[in-house]
Amino acid sequence: MSASKALYVKNNNGTQIQAIGLGTYTSLGGDCERATLHAIDVGYRHIDTAYFYENEAEVGAAVQKKIAEGVIKREDIFITTKLWCHFHEPERVEAACRKTLANFGLEYVDLYLMHWPYSYVYRGDNEMMPTDAKGEVELNDIDYLDTWRAMEKLVELGLTKSIGVSNFNSEQLTRLLANSKIKPIHNQIECHPALNQKKLIALCKQHDIVVTAYCPLGRPDPAKKQPNFIYDDKVQAIANKYKKSTAQVVLRYLIEIGTVPLPKSSNPKRIEENFNIFDFKLDAADHAVLDSYHTGERLIPMEHAIKSKYYPFHLEF
């Protein structure tokens, strides 16, 4: 399947992204580079990573190889990465972004997200989870608005084409919109049938903010047959109806409820399978089945940060 067959989504600043992206969390040791190379060959033109993932250099190496081979031009591919929580002090933001660009070996990224609304104490660039004598993560109380203002300057400097947020709740997003010069183009959040985020998606749509969905397949565990929305007979029946896999059905559902899913894989066959979701549509009965798995339970609650006044998950959405 070629990149031209995939849907594209327009961002509020006029840029556009493919309606699916390659997720790269925990993809290391050469796996990320191999996955990115294969994904580009398959047709992916949207790659998601983060400073915290420690694989920006692998993504960058793969992208540069495919540019050198003439498979893509730099402007063909949309690269998202993220500012980690220990870089939230405004005076650290530009240096953090430049370090990321050096990791990639690129002059700019397409989207730079604030990874979380809360922050950590800075103990060095590579100490990403600084802990105190009790072993608890050292939180800082930097206002995400101050961090955002520093991120706005990155756009003016040309270091990133766009900026956005990740894991922001409805109140944080509303406050940011009221106090920003540059509107975020994306809010990247955990989203899958068990946490379908329909209320937050509706708010983002109202403000023309694209929702990207991480953990879209709920971190499948074949041994435990979890999550049930991947392994249940009811979803398998839907998959059989369309001659697709249950993972493809779930990814299609996420697209149809208004998100851009970011499935992570380093398996070549699955990378191809995840991309091949643009030739069928679910009906209302299918949606009702997938809606029925919603519990609101998170896979990534980040409870170590629960004492931060900027912890986002005290609210329903």
Side-chain angles (χ1 to χ4, degrees):
M1 184 172 179
S2 71
S4 62
K5 288 183 183 170
L7 296 174
Y8 277 76
V9 173
K10 195 160 245 190
N11 300 313
N12 63 40
N13 63 353
T15 60
Q16 64 172 13
I17 53 155
Q18 220 169 35
I20 191 165
L22 178 73
T24 61
Y25 181 53
T26 71
S27 193
L28 293 163
D31 278 353
C32 181
E33 184 175 343
R34 286 187 289 273
T36 306
L37 288 167
H38 186 63
I40 291 169
D41 285 340
V42 168
Y44 285 79
R45 296 295 180 262
H46 175 193
I47 313 291
D48 181 88
T49 183
Y51 183 84
F52 182 69
Y53 303 171
E54 299 184 283
N55 58 17
E56 290 172 326
E58 291 192 43
V59 171
V63 167
Q64 288 177 71
K65 278 182 188 174
K66 288 300 167 186
I67 290 171
E69 288 173 16
V71 176
I72 53 169
K73 299 188 179 88
R74 172 64 188 92
E75 60 269 24
D76 295 336
I77 193 153
F78 193 101
I79 297 172
T80 298
T81 192
K82 307 174 192 83
L83 177 80
W84 187 241
C85 308
H86 66 331
F87 288 136
H88 275 218
E89 289 162 299
E91 61 272 21
R92 295 194 193 282
V93 171
E94 184 183 331
C97 186
R98 289 187 184 278
K99 187 177 173 91
T100 272
L101 292 175
N103 288 343
F104 282 119
L106 298 172
E107 292 180 1
Y108 69 90
V109 288
D110 297 275
L111 175 58
Y112 200 46
L113 301 178
M114 196 184 313
H115 206 145
W116 292 90
Y118 53 78
S119 61
Y120 302 152
V121 170
Y122 179 81
R123 297 271 183 246
D125 286 3
N126 298 321
E127 192 146 349
M128 289 189 268
M129 299 289 282
T131 51
D132 61 18
K134 295 180 190 169
E136 293 181 0
V137 176
E138 292 184 288
L139 297 165
N140 216 330
D141 63 354
I142 296 158
D143 191 331
Y144 56 82
L145 292 182
D146 294 330
T147 308
W148 183 258
R149 289 182 189 111
M151 289 176 66
E152 289 178 330
K153 289 175 186 164
L154 303 177
V155 180
E156 292 161 21
L157 290 168
L159 303 179
T160 182
K161 300 284 186 189
S162 313
I163 51 177
V165 294
S166 184
N167 300 297
F168 270 50
N169 67 31
S170 56
E171 286 183 3
Q172 290 166 335
L173 205 53
T174 302
R175 180 172 177 250
L176 181 65
L177 288 166
N179 291 280
S180 56
K181 278 194 301 180
I182 299 177
K183 184 177 180 176
I185 70 164
H186 287 190
N187 186 18
Q188 185 174 130
I189 55 176
E190 180 184 339
C191 186
H192 42 76
L195 181 70
N196 65 34
Q197 298 275 21
K198 288 194 176 185
K199 289 180 180 177
L200 192 50
I201 292 166
L203 178 74
C204 288
K205 189 173 184 182
Q206 185 184 327
H207 292 287
D208 200 15
I209 295 168
V210 171
V211 171
T212 46
Y214 70 79
C215 292
L217 301 176
R219 293 188 169 173
D221 184 338
K224 292 181 180 173
K225 299 279 191 216
Q226 289 292 328
N228 53 4
F229 58 76
I230 292 288
Y231 296 102
D232 222 349
D233 289 346
K234 287 183 286 185
V235 185
Q236 188 59 59
I238 296 170
N240 294 344
K241 180 167 70 168
Y242 298 108
K243 297 183 171 58
K244 295 289 180 181
S245 70
T246 56
Q248 287 172 313
V249 167
V250 169
L251 293 172
R252 184 69 212 179
Y253 167 78
L254 291 172
I255 283 176
E256 291 180 11
I257 66 169
T259 79
V260 173
L262 304 169
K264 183 209 89 88
S265 184
S266 50
N267 177 308
K269 184 173 176 292
R270 285 208 196 94
I271 288 170
E272 292 171 32
E273 182 184 286
N274 291 342
F275 192 74
N276 188 18
I277 56 172
F278 297 100
D279 58 351
F280 75 109
K281 287 184 177 175
L282 302 173
D283 61 29
D286 304 329
H287 272 266
V289 170
L290 288 154
D291 286 345
S292 74
Y293 296 101
H294 177 72
T295 63
E297 190 176 341
R298 294 180 184 278
L299 293 169
I300 319 288
M302 297 301 268
E303 286 167 345
H304 70 266
I306 206 160
K307 291 177 184 171
S308 169
K309 66 179 176 181
Y310 299 119
Y311 180 74
F313 303 146
H314 292 306
L315 299 181
E316 182 199 349
F317 75 100

